[in-house]
Amino acid sequence: MALFPAFAGAAEPGEPPTGSSEGSRKELDWLSNPSFSTEDALLLHQRTTEVANLIPEKSPIIRTTSKSELSGESDTDESLKQSSKKRKKKKKKHHHYKKTKKKTKGDSSSSESDLDTKNIKDKATGSVRNHEKEAAANPDKKTSNLTSSRFVWLDDIQAFTAETYRIDKKPDPANWAYKSLYRGDIARYKRRGESCLGIDAKKQCITWDTSASKKKQLQRRPERYFTKNNVKMLNTDGILVCNKSSPSDSTAFIPVFQMETDDPSDTTEVNPLGIYDPSTTGWLQGKECKSAEREPVNTQQTIQEPGININSILMTKVEEHNKKVRENPRDINAWMEFVSFQDELMRGPSPYASKGEQEVRRKSLKLILEKKLSILERAIESNPGNVDLKLARLKLCTEFWEPPALIKEWQKLIFLHPNNPELWKKYLLFCQSQFTTFSVSKINSLYGKCLTTLAAVQDGSMVSHPLLPGTEEAMLAIFIQQCHFLRQAGHSEKAVSLFQALIDFTFFKPDSVKDLPTRGQVEFFEPFWDSGEPRIGEKGARGWKAWMHQQEKGGWIALKSDDDDDEEEIDEDQEIKDKTLPKWHIWLDIEYSREARHWLPWRPDKTKKETEEDCDDPERQVLFDDLGPSLIRLSNPDLQHQLLYSFLQFLGVPCTSKLFPSNLYIAMDENNIFDSVLSDEKPLTSVHFPLSGFNSIGHMDTMLRRRHHIGHHKEGEEFIQNVFHVLFLLFSGKEKCNLSICWLQYEISKVLQCLQRKKKKKLKAQGRKSKKLAKNLLKAPDNRNHLSLWKLYAYLEWLLGNIDDARKVFDTALSTAGTGGLKSPQLCSLSLLYAQLEVELLESLEGAVTSRAVHILTKLAESGPYVPYSGQVLSVNVLKARKTYEHALQDYLSKTPVSDQDQVNDANQLVNLVGCYALFQYLTVGIDAAVLIYAQTLEKLEAPGPQKCENTGESFGIQNFPTALEAVTLLHTNLLRFHMKISVYPLNPLREALTEALKRYPSNQSLWRSYIHIQRKSHSASKARRFFDGVTRSTNSLEPWLFAIQAEQMRKKLIENVQRADVGEIHSTIPETGLTNRIIALFEHATQSENGTHCPLLWRMYLNFLASLGKTEKSKGLFYKALQNCPWAKVLYMDAVEYFPDQLQETLDLMTEKELRVRVPMEELDLLLEV
């Protein structure tokens, strides 16, 4: 083959031609074009030049495209058609099932469209050839051929006006062969408007068709609001709308300034990765860069889409946060803010998306967590000693890591910071709420380890770590938390023994061991504990100190006890009252009965020659090893008193002190926070004992059964009595009087429970006991002149229905009180209660000016000796009293306290004074005058700075509960509720007062009870729902969630009562409106909150609600979910036995596995049933 095939036929000079042979020609056939005709090419060239000469210079170029007849098609065309037919047949064979009923104009397969273009091209070439032949044959008729051509533009033939408009009747055979017109012949534009062509150029509007992808988008159905794109759009901020004109200019509308939008396709070509800033992109596009004056802050203000200006704002914030932590890496708050900012960053569109792209990213929780984790790890590198950052990191890691790995990390953290009590609290709560690794013995030993370590730090024996401020208070808080943990797990005996041991260890410590470190003192305490000596609450208890002194002298002489009281012991066969009941029901009855009777630790009675082996249930015995590590040293007197009052509260005695906030919600497990004792009947004097919501020892009831008995059994009541007798020996003066008040309040609380449940027989018996105790306490020399005790005794008589006797007690107390008047807090308090009780007897305000209540308040203001009511009150005395009250109130509001104790006394006095003055004005002038006094007082008290209820827990001594502002608000709302009860008065003032108070004190249960009480009468729940929603967002307290749920449940109950009422056909005006779903949503949100996750009461309420709906499977799932968060709460397991009786054995096995206290094993129950 030749080196140059194109010239293979040409012979070099002097050589013969080589292309004569046939073979060489065939080889080179591929280089020749048999369809090309030299003559045709010459004719075509000649024709085009002649046409160009005919057209004027300014006219555009002629565009001629013609189609040939079917007869003029080439052979190749025919072969293409045949092949296309074969393909169509194959497609019909294989894809006959894909045919659709309707076909649009543009519906054709890719092969068909390709064929169209090929045929049209061939036709065009064929038509050109025909014209060329005609031109060659008839050169004189060039112009006539030109004008008769089908495709000639009018602009090209301006000289021929006669044939400017003509009708082309020649058909196009391609329209028969194909389904649609050739797409090149169809105009790409569409006219807008109805005006005639050529009349008004301004109205001739043309829109060009968009690309095929956008056509497809137009054919789609409109998207709903919940689709991804629309959700993303809703999450972005809109365009800011502002009126730049002066306020004087009255514009008809506020203009929306249009943002300049670029074509996204331009930016993606120039900036495909999105890494160039706007100025660089503009330069690459050849556009003018915007001046720096227009955008002084952000260079990212070049915006493509409306609303995307949020990107530049977010970018600025990211830069600010990065700058903060870079310049000041020691700023912990800056790191924490950067971490929390990630949530805001993920809510909006990504600021890192390139200009022309709308980034589609999945809002993944894992993505946020990983970003936060990386930020925290950077922060910890800069601050290796900071605990808050490490805690935040551990909290995030709970989403990624398994429990064993998490526990190891916690242990490392505790090892590095063993002196940090707040860290210990969080570690204990974490371990306590890990269901997979939880067991009671493990957690109890962990509490012991924690207190032992902190005690070593307190003693100074742990030299490596210093003592942090507030450690002693935190140790007591952890100790009380441990006791509540044991109570909730069913180990009541251990919890009571812990309190007994620490009280002995604190108040009865021998002088000889006071200088020793804590562990040394514990070693000396162990022999006393194991000696069998009576402990606090047991008969004949003398204490550790007395025992040590006697041991040094040679020990005690054992005396036989004279009293052989028959113990209130129930035989085991009497425990089952009805054997026909279901097995689970019998188990619950016996378990509850034993829980109520056997909460005291069992000890061998030496007088009866009992030994430890005589105990039927070994779990009732408490060994020193269980409580020794938890003993701590309390040197602060306030903390010592707090320990006593916590023990009394633990036993069910209402006190004025408040538990620590750290263990407030995890110990809340009783559904009595919604019970308003006599609140509806007697709003002025309704008793609100603090800290309802906690089961006292010996009371472990299911949600459906509620509390069975009032107070304790005989053994328990004797135990409480002995505790008070021992404490009376320890204290004197004011502290002894406070203990007496607590004891009497306990008796009154039992009377109130009898009144609430309407148990008349029990009320009489309880009334006798309580009156006897009150008289015995008042006989004591220290208490004879204590007006607080007289007040409680008179109130007890009033509750029992002995109103005349109560009046005599009140009058006697006021007569013997002296002439302290408004300056005596106790006298003010006594007079206020007496007046309130008298006002509650009034049926209306007519004649109230001369009532006994006005007489009491007038005599208080006169500061003279009290004279009993004779039936009339002088107007002059009323006027004098009003002036006296006014001056006294102004003096107290302008007074500045000297010390903390003075501040507490002044606060109590101010509350009583405001209560007396407002009640006096209410009776003599009216409700508006009373409300005005409350408003003035609240305004004055709020001026220095709002006191928050949460902050009252910071001083760990006996707190002044409630604070002055809170107490005044309670008096205000109670007075409004009473007035609404006896007369017509709008609801709005009361609602406003309650909402303002609850915003300030979101954890006050009394105010919440009043709020849901007034809201249940309203048909519209939207206002209350908005208020609940606002409060829950602004506070960490759990009470708003609990009362919001209770309000919705009360509403649901009301609607069900209306709809189920048996009064014939009812047209309900209050539809259900999805209340069930709303309540479930509230429960879900509450259980996800920080304090609600580990609150047993919340989970119990949720489980009870689902069970009441009959959703058994969902209830079971929720029960196991509750155990994941509160595995220590025995009440949850008992509720489950009631809701799922079929799973009794499984539930008991689970309790045994987690070492919760099961007092009636299934084997014992079977034996009892067989007897």
Side-chain angles (χ1 to χ4, degrees):
M1 191 174 175
L3 181 62
F4 300 102
F7 302 97
E12 289 185 9
E15 288 183 9
T18 54
S20 59
S21 66
E22 288 293 325
S24 62
R25 277 183 196 159
K26 286 179 182 177
E27 282 181 6
L28 300 174
D29 278 349
W30 63 275
L31 285 171
S32 63
N33 186 1
S35 65
F36 178 73
S37 172
T38 312
E39 294 172 359
D40 291 346
L42 288 170
L43 283 170
L44 180 62
H45 174 67
Q46 189 179 1
R47 176 178 165 277
T48 51
T49 51
E50 286 172 357
V51 170
N53 293 331
L54 285 169
I55 296 168
E57 291 178 4
K58 290 183 181 179
S59 65
I61 301 166
I62 299 170
R63 298 165 66 183
T64 57
T65 55
S66 57
K67 294 182 182 179
S68 65
E69 298 294 327
L70 286 171
S71 60
E73 290 177 350
S74 63
D75 298 334
T76 53
D77 225 335
E78 289 171 6
S79 64
L80 278 169
K81 281 190 179 181
Q82 286 171 4
S83 64
S84 68
K85 283 177 186 176
K86 287 177 185 176
R87 283 178 198 165
K88 284 180 188 175
K89 284 178 183 177
K90 284 181 184 177
K91 283 189 179 181
K92 284 177 185 177
K93 284 178 186 177
H94 293 293
H95 303 286
H96 58 88
Y97 58 90
K98 287 189 177 178
K99 288 183 179 178
T100 53
K101 289 180 183 177
K102 284 188 178 180
K103 296 263 186 179
T104 57
K105 283 185 180 181
D107 286 348
S108 60
S109 63
S110 58
S111 63
E112 288 169 351
S113 62
D114 293 342
L115 193 60
D116 289 347
T117 56
K118 287 177 182 177
N119 290 339
I120 288 159
K121 283 177 184 176
D122 292 337
K123 286 175 190 175
T125 54
S127 64
V128 168
R129 288 179 203 141
N130 292 338
H131 283 296
E132 284 164 2
K133 287 173 184 176
E134 286 174 14
N138 302 315
D140 297 328
K141 295 183 181 179
K142 284 172 186 174
T143 54
S144 63
N145 286 341
L146 188 66
T147 53
S148 64
S149 174
R150 290 180 63 233
F151 291 98
V152 179
W153 298 95
L154 292 177
D155 295 337
D156 301 343
I157 49 172
Q158 291 175 3
F160 302 96
T161 54
E163 295 182 9
T164 301
Y165 295 99
R166 66 187 181 281
I167 297 168
D168 183 11
K169 295 182 179 179
K170 192 174 182 180
D172 188 357
N175 291 339
W176 299 335
Y178 304 106
K179 296 176 183 177
S180 65
L181 293 173
Y182 169 51
R183 63 170 179 263
D185 295 342
I186 300 169
R188 285 185 61 212
Y189 63 86
K190 287 182 182 176
R191 287 189 59 231
R192 299 288 183 194
E194 300 297 329
S195 63
C196 293
L197 282 169
I199 293 177
D200 188 358
K202 291 181 181 178
K203 291 183 180 179
Q204 306 305 320
C205 186
I206 290 172
T207 57
W208 290 91
D209 283 352
T210 52
S211 62
S213 61
K214 291 190 179 178
K215 273 186 183 176
K216 287 178 184 175
Q217 286 179 2
L218 291 171
Q219 287 171 8
R220 287 179 191 166
R221 293 178 65 188
E223 292 182 338
R224 297 294 304 280
Y225 65 92
F226 49 75
T227 55
K228 279 186 179 180
N229 290 335
N230 287 335
V231 168
K232 190 171 185 179
M233 185 181 71
L234 288 171
N235 284 339
T236 58
D237 288 355
I239 304 167
L240 296 172
V241 178
C242 57
N243 190 359
K244 289 189 175 179
S245 58
S246 61
S248 59
D249 298 343
S250 58
T251 54
F253 63 93
I254 298 174
V256 179
F257 301 103
Q258 294 296 328
M259 308 265 178
E260 290 182 11
T261 59
D262 299 334
D263 188 5
S265 60
D266 296 341
T267 56
T268 46
E269 289 172 8
V270 176
N271 186 15
L273 299 176
I275 56 175
Y276 298 143
D277 63 4
S279 58
T280 310
T281 310
W283 183 79
L284 288 169
Q285 288 175 324
K287 293 181 181 178
E288 184 182 354
C289 185
K290 293 187 178 180
S291 62
E293 293 174 358
R294 288 189 185 178
E295 26 185 34
V297 183
N298 295 320
T299 57
Q300 299 248 346
Q301 287 289 343
T302 312
I303 292 157
Q304 303 86 29
E305 299 91 1
I308 212 165
N309 60 339
I310 185 70
N311 286 4
S312 55
I313 298 166
L314 287 173
M315 282 294 290
T316 310
K317 287 184 179 179
V318 171
E319 288 169 11
E320 285 174 4
H321 282 295
N322 275 313
K323 188 179 178 183
K324 274 185 189 177
V325 296
R326 185 173 60 249
E327 291 177 353
N328 191 4
R330 301 282 179 188
D331 188 355
I332 308 302
N333 290 332
W335 285 108
M336 290 297 193
E337 285 170 11
F338 196 13
V339 170
S340 57
F341 171 69
Q342 299 308 310
D343 294 318
E344 182 187 343
L345 195 63
M346 289 301 291
R347 277 198 295 270
S350 171
Y352 303 105
S354 58
K355 276 193 163 188
E357 300 167 1
Q358 192 59 286
E359 187 191 18
V360 181
R361 60 178 182 158
R362 189 166 137 266
K363 294 183 179 177
S364 166
L365 176 65
K366 192 177 180 183
L367 177 62
I368 303 175
L369 293 174
E370 284 173 352
K371 285 185 74 176
K372 288 182 176 181
L373 199 58
S374 64
I375 293 167
L376 284 170
E377 282 169 355
R378 277 175 54 205
I380 291 167
E381 283 175 16
S382 305
N383 305 276
N386 189 270
V387 179
D388 293 335
L389 290 171
K390 292 176 181 177
L391 278 173
R393 177 174 168 269
L394 275 175
K395 191 176 180 182
L396 282 179
C397 289
T398 50
E399 303 290 336
F400 296 103
W401 297 350
E402 293 296 320
L406 268 173
I407 290 170
K408 282 183 182 177
E409 284 295 316
W410 268 106
Q411 287 169 348
K412 286 179 190 175
L413 193 57
I414 285 291
F415 180 75
L416 291 172
H417 307 278
N419 62 332
N420 191 325
E422 293 304 317
L423 189 61
W424 273 108
K425 286 180 188 176
K426 290 183 171 65
Y427 177 49
L428 288 166
L429 180 59
F430 169 77
C431 293
Q432 193 171 322
S433 56
Q434 288 296 311
F435 179 75
T436 50
T437 57
F438 171 83
S439 72
V440 172
S441 58
K442 272 186 191 176
I443 303 301
N444 194 42
S445 61
L446 195 61
Y447 272 105
K449 182 184 176 183
C450 164
L451 291 170
T452 304
T453 308
L454 290 174
V457 174
Q458 185 188 24
D459 296 335
S461 56
M462 189 178 281
V463 187
S464 58
H465 292 82
L467 179 69
L468 296 178
T471 301
E472 195 173 334
E473 294 90 336
M475 286 166 72
L476 178 58
I478 291 168
F479 175 84
I480 294 171
Q481 189 171 320
Q482 181 185 7
C483 295
H484 276 287
F485 162 72
L486 289 169
R487 170 186 66 79
Q488 288 177 305
H491 295 269
S492 312
E493 302 91 346
K494 288 180 182 176
V496 172
S497 295
L498 269 172
F499 269 119
Q500 285 179 306
L502 191 60
I503 289 172
D504 243 322
F505 191 74
T506 304
F507 293 100
F508 297 96
K509 192 177 291 181
D511 298 331
S512 55
V513 300
K514 282 185 178 177
D515 298 330
L516 294 173
T518 308
R519 289 306 102 194
Q521 294 178 12
V522 171
E523 287 172 7
F524 274 97
F525 184 72
E526 185 174 1
F528 161 71
W529 188 261
D530 292 336
S531 65
E533 182 69 14
R535 302 163 190 166
I536 298 294
E538 297 174 5
K539 286 181 183 177
R542 301 180 183 88
W544 180 24
K545 188 175 183 179
W547 180 83
M548 280 279 282
H549 282 306
Q550 198 61 36
Q551 285 297 310
E552 290 166 3
K553 294 177 182 178
W556 303 105
I557 299 168
L559 297 172
K560 287 186 179 180
S561 58
D562 298 331
D563 48 293
D564 290 334
D565 292 342
D566 295 331
E567 290 188 5
E568 191 185 5
E569 198 65 49
I570 301 174
D571 294 334
E572 287 183 351
D573 55 351
Q574 292 179 358
E575 285 184 324
I576 303 176
K577 294 174 183 176
D578 187 0
K579 289 188 179 183
T580 58
L581 290 171
K583 194 174 185 179
W584 64 269
H585 200 290
I586 296 169
W587 181 85
L588 275 176
D589 285 340
I590 302 175
E591 186 74 17
Y592 177 83
S593 171
R594 291 188 183 179
E595 192 74 45
R597 288 183 292 111
H598 295 163
W599 53 268
L600 285 169
W602 186 89
R603 305 197 50 210
D605 191 346
K606 292 180 179 177
T607 57
K608 297 179 181 178
K609 296 182 180 180
E610 287 181 346
T611 61
E612 291 179 356
E613 295 174 359
D614 294 328
C615 183
D616 296 333
D617 186 357
E619 287 287 333
R620 290 186 65 191
Q621 298 183 56
V622 183
L623 304 176
F624 186 77
D625 293 341
D626 294 329
L627 51 92
S630 299
L631 295 178
I632 54 175
R633 194 156 47 91
L634 297 174
S635 53
N636 187 348
D638 286 341
L639 293 179
Q640 292 177 355
H641 296 154
Q642 179 67 40
L643 170 66
L644 288 179
Y645 289 116
S646 297
F647 183 39
L648 292 175
Q649 275 183 344
F650 195 77
L651 298 172
V653 178
C655 302
T656 53
S657 61
K658 193 178 182 184
L659 273 179
F660 303 111
S662 63
N663 65 337
L664 189 65
Y665 295 116
I666 62 169
M668 191 180 275
D669 52 5
E670 190 179 13
N671 191 27
N672 63 350
I673 62 169
F674 311 115
D675 299 341
S676 49
V677 184
L678 305 179
S679 178
D680 299 342
E681 296 86 357
K682 300 179 178 179
L684 282 177
T685 58
S686 56
V687 182
H688 299 292
F689 292 118
L691 292 173
S692 57
F694 299 88
N695 268 325
S696 56
I697 198 90
H699 296 278
M700 194 168 283
D701 323 291
T702 61
M703 288 286 281
L704 298 177
R705 293 150 69 96
R706 304 299 293 268
R707 185 169 285 198
H708 277 84
H709 60 270
I710 295 161
H712 293 283
H713 287 284
K714 185 182 176 184
E715 236 182 2
E717 292 294 337
E718 285 177 359
F719 181 83
I720 292 172
Q721 190 176 337
N722 293 334
V723 168
F724 275 113
H725 285 313
V726 170
L727 296 180
F728 283 160
L729 299 173
L730 274 177
F731 299 101
S732 59
K734 189 179 178 184
E735 279 303 322
K736 187 176 180 180
C737 185
N738 286 341
L739 288 168
S740 303
I741 290 170
C742 284
W743 197 355
L744 202 47
Q745 278 181 342
Y746 175 58
E747 295 297 320
I748 289 173
S749 71
K750 289 191 281 186
V751 170
L752 283 167
Q753 286 177 42
C754 293
L755 283 170
Q756 194 176 8
R757 297 179 196 181
K758 298 177 181 178
K759 295 185 177 180
K760 293 183 179 178
K761 289 183 180 178
K762 178 75 176 172
L763 180 64
K764 283 184 180 179
Q766 185 59 51
R768 285 195 298 272
K769 289 179 187 175
S770 301
K771 282 165 70 174
K772 185 181 178 182
L773 173 68
K775 287 174 181 175
N776 288 335
L777 288 172
L778 284 168
K779 283 178 186 175
D782 297 341
N783 297 334
R784 281 177 188 169
N785 296 323
H786 208 290
L787 290 180
S788 297
L789 281 173
W790 282 99
K791 181 180 82 169
L792 287 174
Y793 174 46
Y795 183 53
L796 177 65
E797 289 281 9
W798 196 287
L799 286 174
L800 293 170
N802 309 324
I803 292 175
D804 291 334
D805 293 342
R807 282 174 176 163
K808 287 177 185 176
V809 175
F810 272 122
D811 290 343
T812 306
L814 288 170
S815 302
T816 57
T819 57
L822 295 174
K823 293 181 180 178
S824 169
Q826 291 186 352
L827 190 58
C828 273
S829 177
L830 179 70
S831 302
L832 178 60
L833 179 65
Y834 190 10
Q836 284 174 335
L837 290 167
E838 290 292 345
V839 169
E840 282 178 342
L841 294 176
L842 298 175
E843 293 180 358
S844 69
L845 287 178
E846 292 178 10
V849 183
T850 58
S851 65
R852 188 186 291 268
V854 175
H855 171 77
I856 296 161
L857 296 170
T858 308
K859 287 295 175 186
L860 174 67
E862 287 175 2
S863 301
Y866 180 78
V867 179
Y869 178 61
S870 58
Q872 60 181 2
V873 181
L874 297 174
S875 303
V876 180
N877 294 340
V878 171
L879 290 172
K880 284 181 180 177
R882 186 176 292 122
K883 282 288 180 188
T884 310
Y885 276 120
E886 190 177 340
H887 289 307
L889 182 60
Q890 291 300 326
D891 291 343
Y892 266 98
L893 288 175
S894 58
K895 189 177 178 181
T896 54
V898 181
S899 64
D900 291 343
Q901 189 59 41
D902 288 343
Q903 191 172 0
V904 171
N905 292 336
D906 288 344
N908 291 334
Q909 173 59 10
L910 179 63
V911 171
N912 292 324
L913 176 62
V914 170
C916 291
Y917 185 21
L919 193 61
F920 177 78
Q921 287 289 83
Y922 173 64
L923 294 169
T924 56
V925 182
I927 184 67
D928 294 333
V931 169
L932 185 63
I933 291 162
Y934 282 124
Q936 289 173 353
T937 309
L938 290 170
E939 188 181 344
K940 284 279 187 182
L941 289 174
E942 287 171 6
Q947 307 171 22
K948 289 191 177 178
C949 187
E950 288 82 12
N951 295 337
T952 57
E954 294 303 319
S955 59
F956 284 95
I958 302 164
Q959 280 116 33
N960 174 35
F961 181 83
T963 57
L965 194 59
E966 204 169 355
V968 169
T969 309
L970 269 174
L971 289 171
H972 180 199
T973 53
N974 287 345
L975 183 62
L976 285 172
R977 284 177 61 205
F978 172 75
H979 183 66
M980 287 177 66
K981 184 187 171 188
I982 65 166
S983 61
V984 178
Y985 192 69
L987 184 63
N988 203 41
L990 175 57
R991 186 190 283 121
E992 285 181 357
L994 282 170
T995 51
E996 285 301 316
L998 285 167
K999 284 176 189 173
R1000 188 175 290 274
Y1001 304 110
S1003 57
N1004 188 308
Q1005 295 175 6
S1006 308
L1007 291 171
W1008 281 119
R1009 277 192 285 267
S1010 300
Y1011 184 74
I1012 64 171
H1013 174 73
I1014 64 163
Q1015 282 299 333
R1016 71 181 178 187
K1017 298 175 183 177
S1018 173
H1019 284 275
S1020 173
S1022 56
K1023 192 177 285 187
R1025 285 168 180 168
R1026 282 199 302 272
F1027 175 65
F1028 276 119
D1029 184 59
V1031 177
T1032 49
R1033 289 171 188 272
S1034 62
T1035 180
N1036 289 328
S1037 300
L1038 194 60
E1039 280 85 358
W1041 287 112
L1042 293 170
F1043 281 92
I1045 290 163
Q1046 178 68 8
E1048 295 292 348
Q1049 284 184 317
M1050 286 163 64
R1051 187 172 184 78
K1052 186 173 184 292
K1053 191 176 179 182
L1054 174 69
I1055 291 168
E1056 285 174 353
N1057 289 341
V1058 169
Q1059 290 175 343
R1060 292 175 187 173
D1062 191 16
V1063 288
E1065 188 180 354
I1066 291 179
H1067 299 284
S1068 175
T1069 56
I1070 314 172
E1072 208 271 347
T1073 61
L1075 272 176
T1076 301
N1077 293 332
R1078 178 179 286 277
I1079 293 166
I1080 289 172
L1082 281 171
F1083 272 121
E1084 285 294 331
H1085 282 100
T1087 51
Q1088 288 168 14
S1089 64
E1090 186 181 352
N1091 288 321
T1093 310
H1094 305 298
C1095 177
L1097 172 60
L1098 188 61
W1099 288 106
R1100 291 184 75 193
M1101 288 170 63
Y1102 193 3
L1103 189 60
N1104 179 46
F1105 178 70
L1106 276 189
S1108 68
L1109 296 175
K1111 299 180 178 179
T1112 311
E1113 288 305 316
K1114 281 191 175 180
S1115 302
K1116 285 179 185 176
L1118 184 71
F1119 167 60
Y1120 289 111
K1121 188 180 176 184
L1123 293 189
Q1124 296 289 334
N1125 294 285
C1126 305
W1128 69 88
K1130 185 182 173 181
V1131 281
L1132 275 172
Y1133 297 85
M1134 292 180 75
D1135 285 344
V1137 169
E1138 195 162 29
Y1139 301 140
F1140 323 119
D1142 300 339
Q1143 295 185 330
L1144 173 62
Q1145 185 63 54
E1146 186 182 332
T1147 309
L1148 291 183
D1149 291 343
L1150 193 59
M1151 290 172 73
T1152 310
E1153 181 192 337
K1154 297 298 172 187
E1155 299 178 5
L1156 271 75
R1157 186 88 157 83
V1158 180
R1159 295 179 184 272
V1160 190
M1162 192 53 71
E1163 297 79 13
E1164 185 183 349
L1165 181 63
D1166 292 336
L1167 288 172
L1168 290 172
L1169 287 170
E1170 286 173 8
V1171 173

